[in-house]
Each structure stands twice: as C-alpha cells, then as structure tokens.
Amino acid sequence: MEPLYKPQGVEERWQGTWEAEGLYNAEPGSGRETFVVAHPPPNVTGALHTGHALQISLADSLVRWHRMRGFETAFLTGYDHAGISTQNAVEKHLASQGKTRGDYGRDAFVELVWDWLREYGGTIMHQFRRMGASMDYRRERFTMDDAYVRAVMRFFVHLHRKGWIYRANRIINWCPFHETALSDLELVHEDVDDALTYVRYPFVDDLASGVTIATARVATILGDVAVAVNPNDERWRDAIGREVLVPFVERAVSVIADERVDPEFGTGALKVTPAHDPLDFEIGRDHGLPEPSVIGPDGRMSEEAGELAGLSQEEAERRILDWIKERGWLERREAYRHTIALCERCKTRIEPLISLQWWCSMEELKKPALEALRSERVRYHPESQHRFAIESLENAPDWNISRQIWWGHQLPVWECPEGHETVEEAEPERCSECGSTELVRSEDVLDTWFSSALWPFAILGWPEETPELDAWYPGTLNTTAREIIRLWENRMIFSGLELMSEIPFSHVIIHTTVLAPDGRRMSKSLGTGMDPLDLVDEHGADATRYGLLKISSSQDVRFSLTAVEEGRKLANKLWNVSRLILANVGDAQPEARPKSLEEEWMIARLDSAHATITERFDEFDFAGVARRLYHLTFDEFCDWYAEAIKPRLYEGDADAQPTALALLERLLKYLHPVMPHVTEEIWSHLPHRTERLIVSAWPEWDGRYADRQPVFEQIRTAAEVFRRSGVMPALTEDQRRIFEAVVRPERVKADSDAPAEIARLEEEVARAEGMLANERFTSKAPSEVVQAEREKLERYRRELDALRN
RNA sequence: GGGCGGUUAGCUCAGUUGGGAGAGCACCUGCCUUACAAGCAGGGGGUCGCAAGUUCGAGCCUUGCACCGCCCACCA
C-alpha cells in the first residue's frame, strides 16, 4: 500500500469485479424485504451531466446501504427513446450531410435512427458504472424494446376503452421546424425585443373613429374575427356591439365584451384571432366565433391568407403595415420587450395553431393519484415539493399525447376509407365499424412521457405477470429533478394506480439543482456546463460522490470543487489510517474486545455515528450523512483513537490489535455507501476477509460504552488547556497515557500563554455568573438549562484554579 | 405575474424542539512527528440582509421590507 491513495485504476477494477461477481444482481423471490429503485432512464443519446451524477450518488448510497442491511435490492435502469430529442439529433446529423428526413421517408428514417443509436447511443450506462452505480445492468430496458412497446399499446387501448382518450381540434403549441405539436412542458421561454403596433379598426358606420388595438403579431390580423374589450372598461363601453373593419381584409367584425381582456394592457382592446393565440382561442370558442387559420404548419402564410398566401410572416407584416399606413389607420409603433415560447429542442419560435390532436383526459386519472398524495401514501421530499406536486396535479390540464414526428411509439389507431377509427393493440384485420380491410395506421406517435409513465412496471414485464413484477412492484423510491415532477413523477403515480391498482413507490426525492459556480444554471448553451467524468478522472468517483452529496442540502446550490477535494482527502485519510493499522496488527483477527478508555470511547462514537447516519439517511439528508462520516473519520477515528493506540500498536500490544481491526472494519462499512471503491479496496487488504464489503452486513449497534464519553472528553479539554497555556491539568493514569500519546507534550513548544488563557476563562466565569445571578433566568429557564450553566461555571473555576497554581 | 428556496467568516455552506456563533477551503504561525506535508498543532477573521415584535434570552419564532436565484406562467 502506497502512502498516497490513487483512485485511478482501483475504481474501474472494483466496478468490473462487483459486476462480474454478480453482486449488483437482483433476484426476485428471495423472500427478503425489498428495496427497489427504478432509476430515471436517461435519453438514449445523452451523456452524463452533473444532474445524473448527483442522482446516481444519492440513489446508489441508499441502495448500497440497504443492500448491506440485508434488503433484496433492485436498482434498475435503462434508456428512454426520447422522441423529439433523438429525432432532432439524427436530423442534425443528416443536415451536416446536406440531407433531410424527407429524403428518406418514414420507414427508412426510423431504420436510420436505430443504426445511429447503435453507433452513437447507449454510452451513458458506462458512465453510470464509472460512478460506481450498483445497478443490475443485466436488466437494462429500453422504451422501444418490443415488450415495452406492447405495454405502451396496452396503456393506450386501456385508456381509450375507458373513454379517457379522445381526439379534438384545439389550439396547441406547434414547432414549425419539427412540424409537430408540443405540450406546454416541452417549451422554453425567452425575452425578445419586438414592436407593439397600435392600429385603429374603424367603425363600419363611422370610418373616422373606431377602436384602437395593440398587437405584437401584425400578420395575424388577417385571422381576426372580433375585437374584445373588458365589459367594465368605461372607455369602450359604447363600442360594445358595434362593428369595426379588420384592416387589409376589410372584414366587418363585432366588438364583444369579455372579462378576460386586461384593461391595463395597451388600449384595453384586444383583436381576437382564435386560430393563433391561446387566449383568443378560448374567447372565440365561448363566443361561437369562426377560426380562420392564416398561418400554416410551416410557419408561413396559408391559403386562407388570400393574396398574401405563401409569404413569410415578416413579409406579410410589411405588406399589411403599408396598407394600414396608407389609410392612416396606424396610430404608432413602440419598442416592446416580451416573452415568447420556443421549442426546447430546436429553439424555433412556437406557433399557436389549431390542430386535430389526441388528448388524454385527466379528470378521472388524477383522482386516485391525488388521494395517494393527500394521504401521503406517496410522499415527495422535501415537504414543499409535496405541496407543489399536489397543486400541479389538481390543475393538470388534459394532456396532448400525440406528436407529428417519426421516432416514437406509433398510435395503435387504424383508419378506414370511411373515416372510422379502430383502436387495437395489434393491427386489426378489418374496420371495427364497417369491416373494411383497407386500413391505414395513424401517422402520429405518442408523447415520450406517455411511455415513461409506465417505467416502474413496464420494465418488470407488465402486462405479463412476471416474478419481477410480483416481487418489485410497488417499488420504494424515485429520485428526480424539480422540473420533472409534472412531466414524469405525477404521471407514474396515476398510471401505476390505474393499471396496477397500487402506487409505484412511496417516496420521491426531489434533489438539489446544482448550479455553476457563478450561480447560473448549468447548461451547454450558456457554456456553464461541466463534465462530471472529468471530476471522476481527476479526483475519483468516491470523491465526486462525496462532494455531490455534501452540497446536496438545499433547493439550489452552487457547485464547489472544494467539496470534491474534501472527498478526495477523506479517501486518502482513510487509506493512510488503514495502512497504520494493517502494518501493526500482525496476523490478529478482527474482534472488538475493548480493554481501554480510548477503545470504549471509539465504540461509543461509532455508535453515535451509526445513529446519526441512520437518521440522516431516513430523512434523505445526504449532506448530513457526508458531514458525519467526515468528522467520524478525521476527528474521532484518526486524530484521537488512532493516535491514542499508536504507541500500543508499535509495542505489539496484543490487546490493541484485534480491536483496531474490528473498529476499522466498522468504519469502512459506514463509509461504503458513500465511498464504495476505496473502502472495498482497503477491505481487500484486511487479513482473513473473503467476502466483499459491498455485501457484508451493516454493523450492529454496541451500546455499552456511552457513559465513557465524559471521561474521555476530559482529556480533550485538558489538551486544549495545555496547548494554549502549557499548564498540565490533573488526569487519571489512563487519561494521562492517552493524553501523552495524542498531545505529545514533549513536542509542544514552551511558549505558554497562561495569562491569556486565564483572562479567557475569567470572561467565561463572569458570563456564567452573570446569567446565574439573573433571577429572571434562574426562575424562568428550564431547570436543565440552569443546571448545565452551573456545571459549566464549576468547570471553568476548576480550570482557572489549575492555571493559577 | 405565481410558487419555492436563499441571504451566517474572504469563498462554498452547516447550525434538528430558542440557552455560550461552526466546518471545509483560503490566509498567518510552528512542525519533514517511523499512517498521511493531499499531513499535524495553533491562530486571525462574523453588528448571522435590514427594521420592528414576542421572550429572562432570538441566527433560530412572528410581521414588514430589500436583494439573489431556481421553477412555472396565454398581458395580446
């Protein structure tokens, strides 16, 4: 064993060994209590980012802890096909060769995606392994596996038969680049500098006056079917019911009243374009207005735009503005900064369009899920996120589940020439209504999250009845980022309840968002991202895991390299104290048979750490676990226990050796869930150990020596006084032996500063005396607090006496 | 605009029923001590964002304000 611990090489070796020896494997039917984590499936095209690394660190520490505690642990993993994201990646690849998906056609394109994935996809599992994630990689699943596809089809048909899936023409978010609908949750928003145009729509019967509206989308004027004002707006009260002319198309439309119009914005009058604005759409439907679409799926002016058909929106806007100016209807234009929606994948500006899409009603699905959340059968952690999850589900709108892309699960819907729809899991022979055999399958695919919603049970073989499904559903917990609550977590809960009649897991851990060191979000486009594998290469997976856990306490945290470096130091410290012990125990067998104060005290400290670690893990306070491990190792095990027994080890004290080995083993076990590699490596150097640490038993609590702690603490106080002042306080023989081993008084320089120490203690005595002299304190404070203060005062007086002699 | 989180040492952060302000890093001093110089021992450094309130006592509880951040959002 070298003095410097180098994780490089060691970690990969153990990762290979653990997996090869089948120690990550989960088997159903062991009869043991289960601990099941269906880890969030990363995008099949993705690479490990900091969020993944944190998620792995959290989940794997819990999994390893439970494995050692004797649970049957199933840490399950796989890939998400990530419809739009993957298609986008492949299309970019094609674009670099000057091609488009249109050059291939649907079937060839989908084949191309599969080829592309075989070439470039599926790298992240290697990175999970490199983090030390103890997943059962044999059971890796993919949402496009045949079995998984069958589960998705079953889910769709099930919901359709219940009447909860329907088709409707509604306004949706349209990405003109991908030419597909998107849910609200697949958008990003960006502030842009635009112009707000004030246009007068003249009254039909009085062209000299009219209603002035303000718009940021001049091109959509062609689709106006009304002007709306707030009914309480005095300025426009007389205009309600009159007719105005829509510019350019010179269509006469009514001025209507609607509460949803904000009188504060612009002039308080809104042009109503139902086909191209979500609010206008609602107003239009409620007032029974027509819905002319003047912008097409390609983002250009459509046939209904008449003479402007085929133009870009910018060109159309110029033409319309010229027309308005000529007639003097343009009141003014002003600079206007506002927020627009973009496709999160290609950053193309979203067009709100009316489109025939498939929807999933939330009305019935969400009821049992809400009950499960309100009764806390499923609990989000922290509590604030639990409330947010409930509110999100309460307000969940119907879910647009169809997408007009090619990569994904094609809808199990077949149409005959009569327009009848047949919905079956597999291709039907004839139309269910007219018997026609000329069936054409819907071209739409399902929203990626529709299949993700089945993850906890589809990966176990559902809808087949498998041993895995029987053993591991419901699972235990799930870890995820905050923004995934509505996209995924809530949907797993309601789909699990609907199809399995049981919640998929009991706990959802919403983990920290790791920000860049400057406080901005980590993202590739901002250039603030970082590759966690660089950390792993430089500092080791153990240090990286420790560092990420250490900073995982609050909702958002800035990444701090010092936390990872602290982890590296911890690994090195552990390595070296192990060298000390292993080099001086001969062929002793590990056995805790304490014969001295420092041994008893160390056992009491290990007991204390045992309690804290259990408590912190149970609360999902991973930073708290990391903190306790650090101080247990550095302050208690190394600085005091190891220093105290060192002289005995050098002398070959046969009593010290077996206990030292036993306590080191216990320390290694406590550290293993967080730092698996270095602990397993040290474990492999222990004499007579054949079993692996990863599957060794979590230590039992001892509990015999809690009362030895005050006796030991007197040595620590004595050391403090001595180092500050050079004065040697009175100690028992046993205490003095430990004191001399740890403090090495012969090495402490004789620049004693007794006067300063006396002054410090005098201040303390005065403070304590003051408090105890305050009658309001002694009469109102709890008696324990007063008693503790009296004891402190006495201790200070004793120390002071020792110094003054 | 809404929700949530944050504001404590130069930096990143702990502070768990209200009872003497802490850690790591950085900085300074002294030590190559037969585990570790990626170490050991010691030290300096903080009106706990601001203002009121409750209390014998507030970093912690209440109210208001300010600033920072994340997430969400159909003011055209």
Side-chain angles (χ1 to χ4, degrees):
Chain A
M1 294 174 82
E2 297 294 316
L4 181 62
Y5 173 67
K6 295 190 185 72
Q8 293 80 6
V10 172
E11 294 187 337
E12 288 93 326
R13 181 157 48 75
W14 283 113
Q15 287 152 13
T17 301
W18 287 324
E19 193 174 347
E21 292 180 351
L23 304 177
Y24 291 169
N25 294 353
E27 297 301 339
S30 67
R32 287 183 287 164
E33 194 176 345
T34 58
F35 184 82
V36 181
V37 180
H39 200 69
N43 289 1
V44 64
T45 58
L48 193 77
H49 57 59
T50 310
H52 292 127
L54 173 65
Q55 225 164 51
I56 289 283
S57 303
L58 303 177
D60 193 62
S61 68
L62 284 172
V63 167
R64 286 179 182 267
W65 183 49
H66 281 86
R67 187 183 287 118
M68 291 175 79
R69 293 203 300 163
F71 286 72
E72 180 66 41
T73 54
F75 194 10
L76 305 168
T77 189
Y79 288 107
D80 193 300
H81 67 285
I84 294 175
S85 177
T86 300
Q87 177 159 330
N88 199 50
V90 176
E91 285 194 71
K92 265 191 194 164
H93 181 70
L94 286 183
S96 71
Q97 304 171 347
K99 292 179 183 165
T100 68
R101 65 181 155 136
D103 297 339
Y104 289 82
R106 182 173 191 138
D107 291 346
F109 179 80
V110 169
E111 270 312 306
L112 200 65
V113 174
W114 279 105
D115 289 343
W116 194 83
L117 290 180
R118 276 186 281 270
E119 177 84 22
Y120 303 105
T123 58
I124 207 169
M125 285 303 146
H126 299 291
Q127 302 172 328
F128 279 10
R129 286 178 171 94
R130 192 61 195 84
M131 287 296 300
S134 58
M135 296 164 158
D136 188 345
Y137 297 97
R138 300 171 310 158
R139 298 179 181 276
E140 179 189 312
R141 296 288 182 268
F142 182 33
T143 53
M144 291 297 278
D145 288 344
D146 290 345
Y148 204 107
V149 172
R150 281 196 293 278
V152 174
M153 297 300 114
R154 172 71 60 95
F155 185 33
F156 184 95
V157 172
H158 175 92
L159 294 175
H160 188 264
R161 298 222 164 121
K162 284 219 161 183
W164 298 343
I165 282 181
Y166 62 94
R167 212 173 178 195
N169 246 319
R170 286 194 189 153
I171 196 152
I172 46 92
N173 306 298
W174 185 263
C175 170
F177 176 77
H178 288 111
E179 302 211 319
T180 180
L182 297 172
S183 77
D184 290 346
L185 304 175
E186 291 166 306
L187 313 181
V188 291
H189 298 269
E190 188 177 280
D191 283 345
V192 293
D193 288 308
D194 232 326
L196 191 61
T197 307
Y198 289 76
V199 184
R200 182 164 57 87
Y201 285 33
F203 290 124
V204 170
D205 53 13
D206 176 14
L207 294 178
S209 67
V211 178
T212 299
I213 58 89
T215 181
R217 308 244 0 233
V218 171
T220 66
I221 284 177
L222 306 187
D224 286 354
V225 293
V227 165
V229 299
N230 192 292
N232 303 316
D233 190 338
E234 295 295 337
R235 295 169 298 178
W236 300 117
R237 176 154 293 175
D238 295 339
I240 296 170
R242 296 182 68 178
E243 289 202 317
V244 293
L245 277 182
V246 176
F248 201 84
V249 291
E250 299 186 79
R251 183 191 300 137
V253 301
S254 296
V255 177
I256 59 176
D258 195 288
E259 297 272 357
R260 285 165 289 196
V261 178
D262 178 7
E264 303 294 317
F265 188 89
T267 62
L270 168 74
K271 72 184 203 58
V272 180
T273 321
H276 302 295
D277 182 275
L279 174 63
D280 295 13
F281 176 80
E282 285 181 26
I283 293 175
R285 286 260 161 131
D286 292 349
H287 291 264
L289 299 170
E291 298 167 351
S293 292
V294 297
I295 295 168
D298 57 358
R300 303 177 77 85
M301 305 309 290
S302 70
E303 288 307 310
E304 289 188 70
E307 65 184 270
L308 300 186
L311 295 184
S312 70
Q313 290 185 48
E314 292 72 25
E315 182 56 27
E317 177 166 332
R318 274 191 290 277
R319 304 273 274 270
I320 295 166
L321 275 176
D322 286 346
W323 190 98
I324 294 171
K325 278 184 204 158
E326 272 173 33
R327 282 155 187 80
W329 295 1
L330 180 69
E331 302 233 325
R332 66 180 190 277
R333 296 194 91 193
E334 57 190 36
Y336 180 52
R337 189 172 177 78
H338 66 141
T339 311
I340 59 166
L342 308 176
C343 169
E344 70 172 341
R345 293 296 163 195
C346 65
K347 305 293 186 284
T348 302
R349 187 165 178 167
I350 290 299
E351 287 296 337
L353 292 182
I354 292 178
S355 175
L356 185 60
Q357 299 286 342
W358 292 85
W359 302 82
C360 179
S361 165
M362 284 297 106
E363 212 46 47
E364 294 301 320
L365 273 174
K366 73 182 181 188
K367 283 181 185 169
L370 279 170
E371 189 281 325
L373 286 170
R374 291 187 183 122
S375 66
E376 300 194 348
R377 283 193 292 139
V378 181
R379 280 179 61 197
Y380 280 81
H381 307 268
E383 179 66 27
S384 58
Q385 301 306 324
H386 190 74
R387 292 195 300 274
F388 171 75
I390 291 176
E391 283 170 29
S392 300
L393 195 54
E394 283 170 342
N395 301 322
D398 281 5
W399 177 12
N400 175 3
I401 54 173
S402 49
R403 299 288 181 275
Q404 289 69 49
I405 56 174
W406 287 350
W407 173 243
H409 301 104
Q410 210 170 339
L411 267 62
V413 176
W414 283 264
E415 195 172 322
C416 76
E418 300 295 314
H420 305 137
E421 282 162 353
T422 302
V423 176
E424 292 287 349
E425 285 180 38
E427 180 164 7
E429 290 189 7
R430 54 193 75 249
C431 173
S432 58
E433 283 188 47
C434 67
S436 165
T437 54
E438 294 175 58
L439 296 174
V440 179
R441 187 168 189 174
S442 165
E443 301 230 322
D444 287 359
V445 300
L446 289 157
D447 178 9
T448 297
W449 296 104
F450 189 85
S451 49
S452 313
L454 311 179
W455 187 250
F457 44 97
I459 58 172
L460 302 177
W462 184 88
E464 305 301 318
E465 288 178 19
T466 63
E468 287 82 1
L469 194 61
D470 187 50
W472 298 331
Y473 193 93
T476 311
L477 60 84
N478 204 270
T479 58
T480 201
R482 207 154 58 249
E483 66 267 23
I484 308 299
I485 291 174
R486 302 191 301 172
L487 286 165
W488 191 43
E489 297 293 342
N490 278 348
R491 288 169 178 169
M492 283 192 285
I493 295 170
F494 69 61
S495 59
L497 282 162
E498 175 61 25
L499 297 171
M500 299 293 296
S501 306
E502 188 47 88
I503 52 173
F505 33 68
S506 308
H507 303 279
V508 182
I509 301 169
I510 302 301
H511 60 68
T512 300
T513 302
V514 182
L515 307 174
D518 63 6
R520 289 184 297 167
R521 184 176 174 71
M522 274 196 187
S523 94
K524 267 188 208 161
S525 53
L526 289 174
T528 51
M530 51 172 262
D531 185 347
L533 291 175
D534 290 345
L535 292 175
V536 171
D537 286 341
E538 188 175 353
H539 304 284
D542 286 338
T544 303
R545 292 164 60 114
Y546 174 90
L548 290 171
L549 259 50
K550 186 78 191 292
I551 62 172
S552 69
S553 50
S554 60
Q555 183 171 285
D556 309 294
V557 72
R558 297 179 179 208
F559 177 77
S560 155
L561 186 60
T562 62
V564 175
E565 288 170 340
E566 187 176 304
R568 188 189 58 189
K569 284 174 52 179
L570 178 57
N572 195 54
K573 191 72 177 174
L574 191 64
W575 178 253
N576 275 295
V577 79
S578 302
R579 289 177 60 225
L580 167 72
I581 291 172
L582 288 170
N584 290 284
V585 292
D587 50 7
Q589 297 284 322
E591 187 188 351
R593 38 170 206 244
K595 292 225 164 51
S596 68
L597 176 58
E598 71 269 28
E599 287 162 339
E600 293 171 351
W601 174 80
M602 192 62 229
I603 289 172
R605 296 316 298 159
L606 286 162
D607 278 354
S608 152
H610 182 112
T612 308
I613 292 165
T614 305
E615 194 182 304
R616 296 296 181 262
F617 263 138
D618 282 344
E619 292 170 357
F620 305 120
D621 173 10
F622 301 91
V625 172
R627 264 198 311 278
R628 188 68 188 89
L629 290 173
Y630 183 91
H631 291 294
L632 176 69
T633 306
F634 266 83
D635 303 349
E636 294 162 344
F637 197 89
C638 293
D639 291 352
W640 283 92
Y641 171 68
E643 291 296 340
I645 62 165
K646 198 151 69 174
R648 298 171 60 200
L649 290 178
Y650 288 159
E651 290 161 11
D653 182 340
D655 284 333
Q657 294 169 348
T659 302
L661 272 175
L663 300 192
L664 174 62
E665 285 191 355
R666 213 174 142 185
L667 180 68
L668 292 173
K669 288 185 177 195
Y670 289 148
L671 280 153
H672 179 79
V674 173
M675 309 188 90
H677 308 88
V678 66
T679 50
E680 187 78 86
E681 175 68 12
I682 294 168
W683 183 265
S684 73
H685 287 90
L686 295 174
H688 316 297
R689 280 292 169 206
T690 52
E691 146 199 83
R692 298 293 181 211
L693 178 59
I694 182 178
V695 288
S696 69
W698 189 249
E700 294 292 323
W701 163 279
D702 189 306
R704 283 178 292 171
Y705 304 109
D707 64 335
R708 307 302 284 155
Q709 298 197 56
V711 183
F712 193 90
E713 293 308 320
Q714 286 172 10
I715 312 174
R716 304 236 265 184
T717 305
E720 196 182 332
V721 170
F722 178 79
R723 281 167 176 156
R724 281 212 183 103
S725 64
V727 172
M728 185 79 75
L731 293 170
T732 65
E733 199 179 321
D734 211 19
Q735 285 176 324
R736 179 155 304 279
R737 176 182 56 77
I738 296 168
F739 177 88
E740 286 178 356
V742 176
V743 177
R744 309 254 224 136
E746 75 278 8
R747 290 182 175 275
V748 175
K749 284 183 74 178
D751 59 341
S752 74
D753 194 5
E757 184 62 7
I758 287 171
R760 186 186 72 87
L761 286 169
E762 280 172 346
E763 276 180 35
E764 294 288 5
V765 167
R767 185 195 57 78
E769 282 176 343
M771 271 181 89
L772 291 166
N774 183 346
E775 194 273 333
R776 287 177 304 183
F777 171 69
T778 52
S779 65
K780 294 199 176 183
S783 58
E784 314 88 77
V785 174
V786 177
Q787 185 56 34
E789 203 57 42
R790 287 207 178 95
E791 284 168 12
K792 274 189 250 171
L793 177 59
E794 282 177 35
R795 201 178 79 226
Y796 293 138
R797 280 176 173 158
R798 274 202 309 273
E799 289 175 14
L800 211 44
D801 287 345
L803 285 178
R804 280 171 173 153
N805 288 337

